[in-house]
Structure formats: structure tokens, C-alpha cells
Amino acid sequence: MAFNGTRRVVITGMGAITPIGNTVEEFWNNLLAGVSGAAPITYFDASEYDTKFACQLKGFDPLKFMDRKLVQRCDPFTHYALAAAEMAVADSGVKFESVDRDRVGVIWGSGIGGMQTNAKQQQTLWESKGPHRISPFFIPMMISDIAAGRISMKYGVKGPNYATTSACATSSHAIGDSFILIQRGDADIMITGGSEAGICEMGIGGFNAMKALSTRNDAPTKASRPFDKERDGFVMGEGGGAFILEELGHAMKRGAKIYAEVSGIGFTADAHHITEPAPEGEGAQRSMRIALKDAGLPPESVQYINTHGTSTPVGDKNETAAIKKVFGDHAKKLAVNSTKSMIGHLLGAAGAVESIATVLSIVHNKVHPTINQVVPDEECDLNYIPNTARDWKVDVAISNTFGFGGHNASILFRRYIG
């Protein structure tokens, strides 16, 4: 598709708010250094919870990106969205007064939306014993699409504008939809990505009830251990990641720098189980194959896969099996890592933030480690870049994200060649 006469789509800006860095540069440097963002929860008293730690943001101040009134009228997931988008816009160098704003759109995803706002307003209702104390901003603070709306209002851009919600695949779907809209000629620039702020009483409590989270409370920094035999669940993270996607000719005309090209996407469903992946990652296999076909590339062209890699017993095993099925003997030659080993699981924001790591691997020809690789698992036997970053020539890479409900998304990035 991308090389059969349709419009080519490139990345001209990125922004990141993560548990190990509140800029793209800080995030990347800490990834290469193998820094864990996990620590005891400070947002609330977690002493009675099975899991008492998470990958919280450190030192993030929304007032650096918006005024106090706007801070008060937005849920944290929207704070992260506005901050990441602002950094991506600045990084791209685009001046919206100089482009057709009707052809600039925003697709922004959140798997849960304003969970913290919802919990606080419910508490207000219960404590006041009546509905009249509920904030008039409750609904517009909570709904998942509000981040896309807020971004568009900030920049006055009037192209396609909506939210995606597909659990952990959310922001990969946002990026993929933005790619499609530019390809088909509906936009020249898309601001896209995702954000999540689920570290709260209901978030931790809900995932604990599912037995999805690690309970390694004695060693939080060792808890997220994708593909390690002693993995016992994922670690909750928060933050946001943003891309500026742009039609190639439009980017070249304004002299924009180009990080990489989005060349293929693959979206599938497992149709299997509400939380567990299909056996041998059957849906993931198809999403990767579709992304390769969309880009017009053979499996052997790929050097690196940034996995979903959540650190769950079933998920990691099935993703490994899927990679082997798709890539055959070439699977052993791939660099395969998990960004979640350091930042935890950002839920709806995972795809965007992990795609930034994927793109930077192409830019720098380096792949970050999967930390906490200690005990080998015979069912997870690929090169997960254990514990130490590696120099690695990367021209073509895939980022995988898979969500509850059986949603699978694979995005193929490649080095830009004019």
C-alpha cells in the first residue's frame, strides 16, 4: 500500500511524558541505561492493596504546559496529552498559521480516560448524599475523546478529530488511523498518540482483582521482567506519547526533519477471550503479517521488534510463539525487547510511547535492553537484549501492542530513504 502510488507518511515530531523521563531525550537515555521507573505508590495509601508499587511520573508539572484553570478542568490523562503533543509540535517545527489548518487533524487515544476524575466525583456524590455537588466539568473531564478535542482547540486545527479506545492497543490504533487518513488524502498532518493516568485506587484495585499485576512488593524495580521465567504480572505505568505524522511532500516542502517513515499497519482480532491471547498468538501473527504485506516487505527485512512484552506468563509466551511463526528461522536473528520492563504498562498510551522507542532505535541504530532478564524460560528463547543496550543496525522495525478483548495492532516503521 505505502509504495504503490499512495501518499507516503513520515514522522516529523515526537513528544513523551514517561515514568523514566519527561522529554524524549531523557526517556531514551534512561532506556539505554536500563533505568526502572517502578517505586512504591505515593498517590494514595496502598498498604491494603496486593500491589503497592507502580511506575509513576516523576517531577511532571502540568503548569509548564497550561494555566492553572485548565489544569483544574482536565483529568491527568489530558494533562499528559497536552504536554506530549506540545513537545511533538515544537519538535516538528510546524507553524500552524502557515499551513491549512483544515488539513491538520488529531487522533488521540486513551484506554480508560478520566478514571481519576470519575472516582473523585463518585466520592463527592456519596459523601454529599446528593447529585447537586457533582462538578459541571465532570463529563468533559472524564470522556476519552476530550484529549483530542483539547489538542485541536489549543492549535486551532480542524481536520479529522476523534479518539480511539482498544485497551492496550489504543494508541497504536490512533497512529494507524492517522496514517490511513494521510495516505488517502484527508489530511496533510496528524497529531496522534495516547495518554493514560490509571494509577489510582480503582485502577490498581481493579487490576489486582484480575490477578494481572505483579505483587513483588519487596523489589519493585525487579517486578517487570518480560520473558523471564519468574515473571508474575505487569506493573502499572502512566504517561503519554505523541507523534507528528506528515505527508512526505508536505514535510519536504517546509524543510522538516524526518525521523522515519510509517510504512505498514496490521489490525486484527483474536475472537478468543476477554483477557487472554489466542493460542500461539494467532491474532498477533496475522497483525504482523498484514503490516509486512502493507509495507510490501518480506519478514527477512525486519531487524527489530518492540514487543507488547507485558511480563505476564501467558502473554509473553504467546507473543514469542507468534514471532517464531511469522519469521521462522529469521526470528533468532531479530533484536526483540520490551520497553515495559522499565516503564511498566502504560495501557492505552503504551503503543505511542513504545513506538517512540522503536523509531529512536532506527535513528540511532541502538536497541535498549529488556531489564530483569535473570532466569531463562524455555518457552521464551529469542534474543530479548538482556539487561544491556546493544548497537544494532535497524532499518525496519515493528512495534506490537495487544489489548484486552483480543485487539491486535502492529505498526511497521522503516528508515526514511528519499
Side-chain angles (χ1 to χ4, degrees):
M1 181 187 264
F3 293 95
N4 291 320
T6 57
R7 289 153 50 99
R8 294 170 66 181
V9 181
V10 294
I11 298 161
T12 58
M14 299 189 291
I17 301 290
T18 81
I20 59 170
N22 293 330
T23 66
V24 168
E25 182 180 17
E26 186 181 12
F27 168 57
W28 178 242
N29 287 339
N30 282 327
L31 282 179
L32 293 180
V35 174
S36 171
I41 292 169
T42 61
Y43 293 168
F44 61 92
D45 180 3
S47 59
E48 295 189 11
Y49 289 73
D50 293 338
T51 297
K52 301 171 175 56
F53 61 94
C55 289
Q56 298 178 175
L57 299 185
K58 287 90 176 167
F60 173 71
D61 182 0
L63 290 171
K64 293 180 179 179
F65 302 94
M66 63 205 82
D67 63 34
R68 191 171 301 278
K69 182 181 289 187
L70 186 56
V71 169
Q72 293 170 345
R73 293 180 177 181
C74 292
D75 186 87
F77 94 95
T78 303
H79 298 162
Y80 307 158
L82 287 166
E86 181 175 312
M87 288 189 285
V89 169
D91 184 40
S92 75
V94 65
K95 305 297 181 186
F96 290 120
E97 62 272 17
S98 302
V99 302
D100 183 353
R101 297 190 198 209
D102 290 353
R103 294 187 57 76
V104 180
V106 183
I107 302 180
W108 196 270
S110 180
I112 300 175
M115 176 178 270
Q116 294 187 34
T117 293
N118 189 35
K120 288 177 181 177
Q121 291 302 309
Q122 284 191 358
Q123 187 175 6
T124 296
L125 174 64
W126 297 331
E127 291 178 351
S128 66
K129 295 183 172 58
H132 300 295
R133 298 294 299 277
I134 295 173
S135 169
F137 293 100
F138 165 49
I139 296 299
M141 288 174 70
M142 179 194 70
I143 52 179
S144 295
D145 70 297
I146 202 65
R150 286 286 190 185
I151 293 168
S152 70
M153 287 181 265
K154 179 173 181 175
Y155 297 108
V157 295
K158 299 181 180 181
N161 185 279
Y162 59 90
T164 54
T165 298
S166 51
C168 311
T170 290
S171 52
S172 291
H173 280 125
I175 295 166
D177 281 10
S178 296
F179 169 68
I180 291 168
L181 286 168
I182 294 173
Q183 273 197 329
R184 61 177 273 159
D186 289 342
D188 297 321
I189 297 175
M190 294 296 297
I191 304 170
T192 187
S195 56
E196 206 78 88
I199 302 176
C200 61
E201 293 93 330
M202 290 299 292
I204 298 296
F207 281 110
N208 268 162
M210 293 177 62
K211 307 298 183 184
L213 297 180
S214 170
T215 55
R216 200 181 288 261
N217 294 302
D218 58 336
T221 62
K222 306 295 184 184
S224 186
R225 45 198 316 115
F227 308 107
D228 184 89
K229 191 166 188 174
E230 295 185 351
R231 62 192 184 275
D232 70 327
F234 73 82
V235 177
M236 183 84 84
E238 62 175 350
F243 283 100
I244 305 300
L245 300 190
E246 194 162 353
E247 190 273 324
L248 175 58
H250 191 277
M252 293 178 68
K253 185 175 180 180
R254 68 179 187 86
K257 70 175 178 298
I258 295 173
Y259 284 104
E261 184 167 0
V262 185
S263 292
I265 57 172
F267 298 161
T268 66
D270 283 348
H272 171 69
H273 189 274
I274 58 171
T275 58
E276 289 187 5
E280 295 192 306
E282 187 274 336
Q285 292 178 41
R286 288 185 291 112
S287 71
M288 286 186 280
R289 287 194 174 107
I290 292 168
L292 286 162
K293 182 179 180 181
D294 189 26
L297 294 173
E300 293 75 23
S301 67
V302 177
Q303 292 86 34
Y304 165 49
I305 298 177
N306 186 294
T307 67
H308 188 53
T310 56
S311 187
T312 58
V314 175
D316 293 359
K317 176 183 72 173
N318 279 278
E319 187 169 9
T320 297
I323 291 169
K324 289 179 178 180
K325 288 285 188 179
V326 173
F327 291 92
D329 292 341
H330 185 65
K332 295 289 187 179
K333 301 176 182 178
L334 293 166
V336 178
N337 64 7
S338 172
T339 305
K340 291 181 182 71
S341 66
M342 289 171 275
I343 65 171
H345 195 342
L346 272 61
L347 308 180
V353 174
E354 293 164 17
S355 287
I356 290 171
T358 307
V359 169
L360 289 172
S361 293
I362 294 172
V363 171
H364 298 291
N365 285 313
K366 290 180 181 290
V367 288
H368 70 69
T370 304
I371 66 169
N372 300 321
Q373 288 274 289
V374 179
V375 182
D377 183 337
E378 59 275 8
E379 293 187 286
C380 298
D381 58 353
L382 299 176
N383 178 9
Y384 303 111
I385 314 299
N387 303 313
T388 304
R390 296 272 301 276
D391 292 329
W392 199 275
K393 178 64 172 173
V394 182
D395 291 321
V396 179
I398 290 175
S399 175
N400 283 334
T401 49
F402 314 130
F404 286 169
H407 313 294
N408 307 301
S410 298
I411 304 178
L412 187 146
F413 301 96
R414 68 184 296 173
R415 185 176 304 281
Y416 167 68
I417 301 173

Tab-separated table of all heavy atoms in Angstrom, residues 31 34-38 55 220-226 235 309-311 337-345 368-372:
chain	number	residue	atom	x	y	z
A	31	LEU	N	16.240	4.645	28.926
A	31	LEU	CA	16.026	3.326	28.339
A	31	LEU	C	17.351	2.635	28.065
A	31	LEU	O	17.546	1.457	28.401
A	31	LEU	CB	15.232	3.436	27.035
A	31	LEU	CG	13.729	3.651	27.096
A	31	LEU	CD1	13.159	3.755	25.693
A	31	LEU	CD2	13.021	2.530	27.858
A	34	GLY	N	18.980	1.319	31.104
A	34	GLY	CA	18.295	0.260	31.839
A	34	GLY	C	17.675	0.710	33.144
A	34	GLY	O	17.608	-0.056	34.114
A	35	VAL	N	17.186	1.943	33.193
A	35	VAL	CA	16.620	2.508	34.422
A	35	VAL	C	15.171	2.062	34.596
A	35	VAL	O	14.368	2.151	33.662
A	35	VAL	CB	16.679	4.051	34.383
A	35	VAL	CG1	15.969	4.652	35.593
A	35	VAL	CG2	18.130	4.519	34.337
A	36	SER	N	14.824	1.591	35.765
A	36	SER	CA	13.446	1.217	36.070
A	36	SER	C	12.699	2.397	36.670
A	36	SER	O	13.231	3.131	37.507
A	36	SER	CB	13.403	0.048	37.059
A	36	SER	OG	12.074	-0.175	37.499
A	37	GLY	N	11.436	2.555	36.262
A	37	GLY	CA	10.598	3.606	36.817
A	37	GLY	C	9.724	3.149	37.957
A	37	GLY	O	8.911	3.931	38.472
A	38	ALA	N	9.865	1.911	38.397
A	38	ALA	CA	8.997	1.359	39.434
A	38	ALA	C	9.428	1.794	40.824
A	38	ALA	O	10.621	1.839	41.137
A	38	ALA	CB	8.982	-0.161	39.352
A	55	CYS	N	4.765	2.434	38.245
A	55	CYS	CA	5.691	3.330	37.544
A	55	CYS	C	5.014	4.693	37.381
A	55	CYS	O	4.373	4.974	36.375
A	55	CYS	CB	6.076	2.755	36.187
A	55	CYS	SG	7.149	1.307	36.266
A	220	PRO	N	10.327	-3.654	43.820
A	220	PRO	CA	9.567	-3.080	42.705
A	220	PRO	C	10.347	-2.965	41.398
A	220	PRO	O	9.799	-3.222	40.328
A	220	PRO	CB	9.157	-1.698	43.226
A	220	PRO	CG	9.139	-1.847	44.703
A	220	PRO	CD	10.255	-2.793	45.023
A	221	THR	N	11.620	-2.583	41.487
A	221	THR	CA	12.392	-2.391	40.254
A	221	THR	C	12.688	-3.709	39.545
A	221	THR	O	13.079	-3.713	38.374
A	221	THR	CB	13.723	-1.668	40.539
A	221	THR	OG1	14.533	-2.462	41.412
A	221	THR	CG2	13.474	-0.295	41.166
A	222	LYS	N	12.481	-4.827	40.231
A	222	LYS	CA	12.702	-6.146	39.640
A	222	LYS	C	11.398	-6.807	39.193
A	222	LYS	O	11.405	-7.921	38.679
A	222	LYS	CB	13.395	-7.077	40.644
A	222	LYS	CG	14.688	-6.532	41.229
A	222	LYS	CD	15.755	-6.368	40.171
A	222	LYS	CE	17.076	-5.914	40.788
A	222	LYS	NZ	18.112	-5.658	39.757
A	223	ALA	N	10.275	-6.101	39.374
A	223	ALA	CA	8.967	-6.729	39.187
A	223	ALA	C	8.589	-6.904	37.726
A	223	ALA	O	8.003	-7.915	37.345
A	223	ALA	CB	7.902	-5.922	39.914
A	224	SER	N	8.885	-5.906	36.890
A	224	SER	CA	8.560	-6.033	35.471
A	224	SER	C	9.700	-6.778	34.803
A	224	SER	O	10.787	-6.233	34.598
A	224	SER	CB	8.362	-4.649	34.834
A	224	SER	OG	7.907	-4.791	33.504
A	225	ARG	N	9.459	-8.036	34.462
A	225	ARG	CA	10.513	-8.908	33.933
A	225	ARG	C	9.983	-9.709	32.754
A	225	ARG	O	9.844	-10.947	32.825
A	225	ARG	CB	11.076	-9.803	35.040
A	225	ARG	CG	10.068	-10.441	35.929
A	225	ARG	CD	10.638	-10.962	37.263
A	225	ARG	NE	11.879	-11.658	37.168
A	225	ARG	CZ	13.038	-11.210	37.710
A	225	ARG	NH1	13.070	-10.066	38.383
A	225	ARG	NH2	14.139	-11.903	37.594
A	226	PRO	N	9.685	-9.017	31.656
A	226	PRO	CA	9.153	-9.710	30.480
A	226	PRO	C	10.064	-10.846	30.015
A	226	PRO	O	11.293	-10.698	29.993
A	226	PRO	CB	9.084	-8.603	29.427
A	226	PRO	CG	8.956	-7.345	30.221
A	226	PRO	CD	9.793	-7.575	31.437
A	235	VAL	N	3.389	-4.334	35.613
A	235	VAL	CA	3.480	-3.201	36.527
A	235	VAL	C	2.761	-2.022	35.871
A	235	VAL	O	3.007	-1.715	34.708
A	235	VAL	CB	4.948	-2.838	36.825
A	235	VAL	CG1	5.035	-1.606	37.735
A	235	VAL	CG2	5.675	-4.022	37.469
A	309	GLY	N	5.172	-7.442	25.195
A	309	GLY	CA	6.017	-7.827	26.326
A	309	GLY	C	5.597	-7.317	27.686
A	309	GLY	O	6.320	-6.560	28.319
A	310	THR	N	4.447	-7.781	28.197
A	310	THR	CA	3.893	-7.198	29.419
A	310	THR	C	4.479	-7.745	30.712
A	310	THR	O	4.282	-7.158	31.767
A	310	THR	CB	2.375	-7.434	29.466
A	310	THR	OG1	2.120	-8.831	29.347
A	310	THR	CG2	1.666	-6.672	28.364
A	311	SER	N	5.122	-8.896	30.659
A	311	SER	CA	5.614	-9.597	31.852
A	311	SER	C	4.524	-10.471	32.473
A	311	SER	O	4.583	-10.779	33.661
A	311	SER	CB	6.187	-8.628	32.892
A	311	SER	OG	6.810	-9.301	33.964
A	337	ASN	N	12.777	-6.760	22.146
A	337	ASN	CA	12.846	-6.254	23.525
A	337	ASN	C	11.497	-5.759	24.016
A	337	ASN	O	10.523	-5.706	23.273
A	337	ASN	CB	13.921	-5.172	23.659
A	337	ASN	CG	13.630	-3.918	22.842
A	337	ASN	OD1	12.562	-3.780	22.249
A	337	ASN	ND2	14.589	-3.008	22.802
A	338	SER	N	11.451	-5.397	25.298
A	338	SER	CA	10.227	-4.884	25.916
A	338	SER	C	10.519	-3.595	26.659
A	338	SER	O	11.236	-3.596	27.673
A	338	SER	CB	9.627	-5.907	26.884
A	338	SER	OG	8.556	-5.317	27.600
A	339	THR	N	9.945	-2.503	26.183
A	339	THR	CA	10.068	-1.212	26.868
A	339	THR	C	9.381	-1.264	28.227
A	339	THR	O	9.798	-0.576	29.168
A	339	THR	CB	9.449	-0.099	25.992
A	339	THR	OG1	10.066	-0.140	24.706
A	339	THR	CG2	9.660	1.270	26.592
A	340	LYS	N	8.358	-2.098	28.356
A	340	LYS	CA	7.616	-2.199	29.619
A	340	LYS	C	8.482	-2.691	30.767
A	340	LYS	O	8.107	-2.519	31.934
A	340	LYS	CB	6.409	-3.119	29.449
A	340	LYS	CG	5.315	-2.556	28.554
A	340	LYS	CD	4.140	-3.515	28.464
A	340	LYS	CE	3.045	-3.012	27.552
A	340	LYS	NZ	3.432	-3.053	26.111
A	341	SER	N	9.603	-3.323	30.474
A	341	SER	CA	10.474	-3.767	31.566
A	341	SER	C	10.961	-2.591	32.401
A	341	SER	O	11.289	-2.755	33.581
A	341	SER	CB	11.669	-4.554	31.013
A	341	SER	OG	12.530	-3.738	30.228
A	342	MET	N	10.958	-1.392	31.806
A	342	MET	CA	11.422	-0.198	32.528
A	342	MET	C	10.325	0.794	32.872
A	342	MET	O	10.351	1.402	33.944
A	342	MET	CB	12.523	0.497	31.712
A	342	MET	CG	13.824	-0.288	31.705
A	342	MET	SD	15.052	0.364	30.554
A	342	MET	CE	14.561	-0.451	29.041
A	343	ILE	N	9.343	0.972	31.983
A	343	ILE	CA	8.318	1.993	32.238
A	343	ILE	C	7.003	1.395	32.717
A	343	ILE	O	6.062	2.135	33.020
A	343	ILE	CB	8.059	2.860	30.990
A	343	ILE	CG1	7.455	2.042	29.839
A	343	ILE	CG2	9.338	3.546	30.551
A	343	ILE	CD1	6.987	2.881	28.665
A	344	GLY	N	6.928	0.074	32.805
A	344	GLY	CA	5.661	-0.542	33.143
A	344	GLY	C	4.710	-0.490	31.958
A	344	GLY	O	5.085	-0.154	30.839
A	345	HIS	N	3.472	-0.798	32.231
A	345	HIS	CA	2.445	-0.872	31.185
A	345	HIS	C	1.612	0.408	31.217
A	345	HIS	O	0.852	0.646	32.160
A	345	HIS	CB	1.570	-2.098	31.425
A	345	HIS	CG	0.725	-2.471	30.254
A	345	HIS	ND1	0.448	-1.601	29.214
A	345	HIS	CD2	0.070	-3.634	29.950
A	345	HIS	CE1	-0.322	-2.195	28.333
A	345	HIS	NE2	-0.561	-3.436	28.749
A	368	HIS	N	17.406	-0.767	23.118
A	368	HIS	CA	17.500	-0.743	24.577
A	368	HIS	C	17.343	-2.154	25.145
A	368	HIS	O	16.809	-3.056	24.479
A	368	HIS	CB	16.471	0.222	25.163
A	368	HIS	CG	15.042	-0.231	25.051
A	368	HIS	ND1	14.528	-1.302	25.760
A	368	HIS	CD2	13.998	0.262	24.328
A	368	HIS	CE1	13.253	-1.442	25.485
A	368	HIS	NE2	12.904	-0.519	24.610
A	369	PRO	N	17.764	-2.367	26.365
A	369	PRO	CA	17.669	-3.708	26.949
A	369	PRO	C	16.260	-4.038	27.414
A	369	PRO	O	15.417	-3.166	27.623
A	369	PRO	CB	18.616	-3.628	28.149
A	369	PRO	CG	18.557	-2.193	28.575
A	369	PRO	CD	18.442	-1.414	27.278
A	370	THR	N	16.009	-5.312	27.583
A	370	THR	CA	14.914	-5.798	28.413
A	370	THR	C	15.543	-6.104	29.762
A	370	THR	O	16.352	-7.031	29.872
A	370	THR	CB	14.284	-7.073	27.832
A	370	THR	OG1	13.851	-6.828	26.503
A	370	THR	CG2	13.102	-7.524	28.681
A	371	ILE	N	15.233	-5.298	30.770
A	371	ILE	CA	15.888	-5.497	32.062
A	371	ILE	C	15.219	-6.643	32.821
A	371	ILE	O	14.168	-7.136	32.443
A	371	ILE	CB	15.929	-4.213	32.917
A	371	ILE	CG1	14.525	-3.771	33.338
A	371	ILE	CG2	16.633	-3.099	32.155
A	371	ILE	CD1	14.536	-2.665	34.398
A	372	ASN	N	15.884	-7.061	33.881
A	372	ASN	CA	15.413	-8.137	34.756
A	372	ASN	C	15.346	-9.485	34.049
A	372	ASN	O	14.530	-10.345	34.396
A	372	ASN	CB	14.049	-7.789	35.376
A	372	ASN	CG	14.116	-6.530	36.215
A	372	ASN	OD1	15.087	-6.300	36.923
A	372	ASN	ND2	13.081	-5.697	36.124
